[in-house]
Amino acid sequence: MKDLAYSTIDSYHQAKQLARKNPEPFWAEIAKNFQWHKPWDKVLEYDFHAPEVKWFLGGKLNITENCLDRHLKTQPDQTAIIFEPNDPSEAAEHITYKELHSRVCRAANMLKANGAKKGDRICIYMPMTPELAIAVLACARIGAIHSVVFAGFSATALAARINDAACTMLLTADGSYRGPKITPLKAIADEALTQCPTIKNCIVFKRTGQEVEWNSIDLWWHEELEKVSDSCPAEIMDSEDPLFILYTSGSTGKPKGMVHSCGGYMVYTAYSFQNVFQYQKGDVYWCTADIGWITGHSYIVYGPLAVGATTVMFEGVPSYPDYGRFWEVCAKHKVNQFYTAPTAIRALEKHPTSLVEKHDLSSLKVLGSVGEPINAEAWHWYDKHVGKHNCPIADTWWQTETGGILISSLAGVTPQKPTYATLPMPGIQAVLLDNDGNELEGEAEGILAIKHPWPSIARTIWGDHERYKKVYFSAYPGYYFPGDGALRDADGNYRITGRVDDVVIVSGHNLGTAPIENALNEHTNVVESAVVGFPHDIKGNALHAFVIPNKSVDDAEKLTNELRDLVAKTIGPIAKPDRIQVVSGLPKTRSGKIMRRILRKLAAGEYDNLGDISTLLNPEVVEEIKQNS
Ligand code: WTA
């Protein structure tokens, strides 16, 4: 896949220019690196007003042939997946491309034998074992649309997602190991399925061996596999056929089922993987995300496998058996590219550096970051203690909706700048807009938007194209609007400043909550904070700040005054929060994002109207906040 990658700054600049002047031939050249049953008739058709986007029209393919079959000719014995179990005393598993191909085909036949066919929606609620990747690829093999639900979600959340897409089959496991905990996945699934009339079969993978209840629709994964062969021709898909649905939270409570399609998603995930991480044949690449999130879809499964990489799948958590586990695994498998989230880095940073230093990290060449802005302190800790000042850090900005990384440095090829995602990838036309939708030039701060489609943009929200239009294409007509703010330096580097949909209008002034939080976090006794708006008689809206202190607070009034002064000093008196509440934690999603929707309700005193809080990592803090306000 050499032709996908720009490994010098000159080739990068050339690519960028070509992509800007002539996007269609640019993407067509890249798409030629893949195996198509029939080439496309037309590269692109789009209208951001409709909105409608189609790539590689008329092209026929199956993504699993690109991720598996074609590597059988060139590197059948290359390791495709290294599985590192939760328990370090359990042996790691090395799965070659040949073996993975065989296991995916057998699983695909298992799905077919149980009635699954092209276009059916199959829900996957499984732990991070190789069978999860196999389940995803088996669906793709037969053209069924997978909808992976993170195995930390509750029964209510699972049922809502199954019902939204009217899934006909559920793939799950008896239980899952995560750190010292065992989660009874099958029992949770059973509870969900009492509300899911469309599910006809539930296939259960045995992981923990725990007792499970058995219903008439249940089948054991291992028993079903024995009944079928490992020969399964790939279903031929249209480039624009849906490949999967993945739910992401919106600013209202109901999750959005983002739909990605076969051709464009394949091309863009492989292209971005290769370029951002500068993967070289034989390298070992590890992304610590869960396949339940987009990062796991694009950069554990599809992107790496499409280029024939060796990808690590880790079942556990960074804190088990101790806070050195990530580094132990890097040393054990001689990881070359390591991709994780700032929230993990911040958690690890609080523990003694001896936990990093005692492991040999000399194999590392490239580090990556994803999911939220990486603050300067975390960036420098990562650079110093993990990268030993010797590994470029790719801060990758993207979303579930974008399918792949849109803004990032290319490791070791383009310059990095701490806390900046840096430059848009070749082929990505990013702009900054002012509130009226005018494009800003040069150094500026504004609303991030994308001007031209890229192959892996989500095509719709499952069952709700109107919402897709409203959320992403209506605020700034003619642009894709991701909902993030950014600033741009004189060299064109982007720094993501946070969500712009969290802007609060106080006395007629637009105030972003993100910069206020940054100001509060500067205080030596503040670990983390979240600021939301609440209705105010005179100002329209006022600000409520939730702050987590470092150490216990003896004099709350003194702290509050200091914080108000700090905000006034950093941003201006108008940004001073009316209320500052000291809390021990903030309600967070399982991927570590603060649930501002819930904080807004709490700040407004709407305790009876909090919506579903069962998907939170820490629902207990909601009660604490209510009690103390
Ligand atoms: C945020 C995760 C700053 C951003 C791949 C985006 C980031 C949302 C970065 C999407 C980054 C992601 N710097 N912010 N490098 N990466 N974000 O859908 O607000 O879980 O809109 O996709 O995360 O989150 P999602």
Side-chain angles (χ1 to χ4, degrees):
M1 299 293 273
K2 262 205 140 111
D3 297 344
L4 282 182
Y6 315 114
S7 46
T8 64
I9 191 82
D10 289 343
S11 56
Y12 165 83
H13 283 304
Q14 273 170 14
K16 215 160 184 166
Q17 254 188 353
L18 173 65
R20 181 165 281 272
K21 272 203 240 137
N22 260 325
E24 292 175 29
F26 171 81
W27 288 113
E29 256 332 284
I30 289 168
K32 282 183 194 155
N33 284 283
F34 297 82
Q35 202 175 299
W36 299 81
H37 279 267
K38 176 184 165 288
W40 53 92
D41 306 314
K42 195 172 176 198
V43 177
L44 171 66
E45 222 174 70
Y46 83 103
D47 173 0
F48 269 181
H49 295 276
E52 185 181 79
V53 181
K54 290 181 177 163
W55 279 93
F56 310 115
L57 290 86
K60 304 282 178 196
L61 77 152
N62 185 291
I63 195 168
T64 69
E65 289 185 321
N66 285 274
C67 289
L68 301 170
D69 302 57
R70 68 172 165 159
H71 304 312
L72 298 187
K73 294 180 205 119
T74 52
Q75 49 166 39
D77 300 319
Q78 171 79 37
T79 303
I81 294 178
I82 299 177
F83 170 57
E84 173 66 23
N86 179 59
D87 179 348
S89 66
E90 189 182 328
E93 196 182 342
H94 291 247
I95 304 172
T96 63
Y97 271 92
K98 199 165 140 205
E99 187 187 345
L100 185 61
H101 177 266
S102 154
R103 287 169 70 174
V104 167
C105 288
R106 195 179 286 275
N109 281 332
M110 163 179 87
L111 302 180
K112 280 210 268 195
N114 286 291
K117 55 182 191 318
K118 179 175 176 178
D120 287 357
R121 275 80 59 209
I122 298 185
C123 181
I124 303 177
Y125 183 68
M126 293 178 73
M128 275 287 285
T129 65
E131 282 70 18
L132 169 51
I134 289 168
V136 161
L137 293 163
C139 289
R141 188 80 177 172
I142 65 167
I145 302 168
H146 56 78
S147 167
V148 182
V149 176
F150 174 61
F153 274 132
S154 68
T156 319
L158 174 61
R161 286 157 179 74
I162 289 174
N163 290 335
D164 185 73
C167 295
T168 49
M169 193 183 276
L170 175 67
L171 308 178
T172 188
D174 50 356
S176 84
Y177 296 118
R178 270 175 79 78
K181 281 199 296 201
I182 296 184
T183 309
L185 292 186
K186 171 70 164 67
I188 299 169
D190 285 345
E191 193 189 329
L193 291 190
T194 60
Q195 306 159 51
C196 300
T198 53
I199 295 283
K200 297 194 196 98
N201 292 310
C202 174
I203 304 183
V204 187
F205 170 66
K206 192 181 266 189
R207 174 60 181 138
T208 58
Q210 67 199 97
E211 286 273 312
V212 290
E213 293 208 2
W214 212 245
N215 303 310
S216 58
I217 61 165
D218 296 341
L219 301 158
W220 280 114
W221 178 289
H222 57 275
E223 289 178 7
E224 292 309 296
L225 281 187
E226 278 175 17
K227 300 177 190 165
V228 294
S229 83
D230 70 350
S231 158
C232 178
E235 185 76 33
I236 297 178
M237 307 294 285
D238 189 87
S239 180
E240 279 300 318
D241 279 337
L243 173 64
F244 66 86
I245 303 170
L246 185 62
Y247 287 87
T248 183
S249 45
S251 46
T252 65
K254 190 175 174 333
K256 299 173 287 195
M258 304 314 306
V259 179
H260 283 284
S261 60
C262 296
Y265 179 81
M266 169 182 75
V267 169
Y268 196 83
T269 51
Y271 159 84
S272 52
F273 172 75
Q274 187 58 62
N275 276 292
V276 169
F277 298 103
Q278 295 286 312
Y279 182 87
Q280 315 219 321
K281 194 168 160 53
D283 282 349
V284 174
Y285 158 87
W286 179 20
C287 165
T288 67
D290 192 290
I291 293 174
W293 312 118
I294 191 68
T295 308
H297 281 60
S298 302
Y299 299 114
I300 295 178
V301 183
Y302 288 115
L305 296 179
V307 306
T310 298
T311 174
V312 176
M313 274 186 77
F314 175 47
E315 186 183 30
V317 293
S319 54
Y320 180 81
D322 64 34
Y323 281 89
R325 185 70 190 278
F326 271 2
W327 323 124
E328 185 221 320
V329 175
C330 281
K332 178 175 172 187
H333 297 298
K334 301 198 168 42
V335 169
N336 303 111
Q337 290 89 9
F338 178 74
Y339 189 27
T340 196
T343 177
I345 299 166
R346 286 197 299 268
L348 298 174
E349 189 190 307
K350 304 233 174 334
H351 295 272
T353 48
S354 58
L355 285 165
V356 193
E357 256 105 58
K358 74 180 196 201
H359 301 286
D360 175 8
L361 298 182
S362 58
S363 58
L364 288 175
K365 298 194 284 190
V366 171
L367 303 177
S369 171
V370 59
E372 56 179 315
I374 179 164
N375 50 307
E377 194 184 329
W379 196 98
H380 288 292
W381 187 90
Y382 200 26
D383 178 47
K384 179 174 173 194
H385 296 287
V386 183
K388 320 288 181 201
H389 299 305
N390 222 354
C391 300
I393 299 178
D395 175 359
T396 63
W397 175 83
W398 59 297
Q399 310 178 294
T400 305
E401 296 85 336
T402 68
I405 297 165
L406 299 195
I407 304 183
S408 171
S409 55
L410 310 194
V413 177
T414 65
Q416 63 186 21
K417 180 169 179 180
T419 76
Y420 281 71
T422 75
L423 301 171
M425 303 276 297
I428 302 303
Q429 298 186 24
V431 294
L432 285 181
L433 304 177
D434 67 15
N435 284 340
D436 301 321
N438 303 308
E439 281 187 30
L440 299 166
E441 297 297 326
E443 227 174 314
E445 177 160 8
I447 290 146
L448 183 62
I450 317 285
K451 217 174 162 165
H452 185 275
W454 61 98
S456 64
I457 184 174
R459 304 297 195 258
T460 190
I461 291 175
W462 183 264
D464 198 349
H465 198 68
E466 265 312 300
R467 188 175 181 199
Y468 173 74
K469 178 174 181 174
K470 186 159 166 255
V471 176
Y472 305 107
F473 298 93
S474 299
Y476 302 95
Y479 298 90
Y480 167 76
F481 166 60
D484 282 324
L487 57 83
R488 189 172 51 209
D489 72 9
D491 299 321
N493 292 304
Y494 286 86
R495 177 185 190 171
I496 312 302
T497 48
R499 302 291 305 185
V500 289
D501 34 15
D502 291 319
V503 163
V504 184
I505 311 216
V506 180
S507 303
H509 296 274
N510 279 16
L511 292 177
T513 52
I516 303 172
E517 290 162 7
N518 292 343
L520 294 169
N521 296 349
E522 288 295 309
H523 193 282
T524 49
N525 196 19
V526 172
V527 179
E528 197 175 8
S529 63
V531 173
V532 296
F534 67 93
H536 187 280
D537 281 351
I538 297 164
K539 303 177 179 180
N541 292 290
L543 299 172
H544 186 130
F546 298 88
V547 297
I548 308 178
N550 244 330
K551 47 185 194 305
S552 67
V553 178
D554 299 324
D555 188 346
E557 200 185 347
K558 179 165 170 277
L559 176 66
T560 306
N561 288 335
E562 285 171 2
L563 289 174
R564 285 213 175 91
D565 289 344
L566 192 55
V567 173
K569 202 171 114 234
T570 323
I571 301 161
I574 181 71
K576 279 204 267 187
D578 271 33
R579 298 190 202 136
I580 295 183
Q581 183 176 1
V582 175
V583 295
S584 72
L586 294 166
K588 289 198 174 169
T589 64
R590 308 245 168 199
S591 58
K593 289 206 169 67
I594 298 170
M595 284 288 270
R596 287 163 193 286
R597 181 170 56 81
I598 290 175
L599 288 176
R600 273 186 222 113
K601 297 257 161 77
L602 288 167
E606 291 175 33
Y607 296 164
D608 296 328
N609 188 18
L610 294 177
D612 180 15
I613 60 164
S614 64
T615 61
L616 291 181
L617 187 65
N618 50 355
E620 70 283 357
V621 303
V622 172
E623 203 45 45
E624 181 207 302
I625 294 173
K626 279 197 225 168
Q627 300 297 330
N628 298 341
S629 49

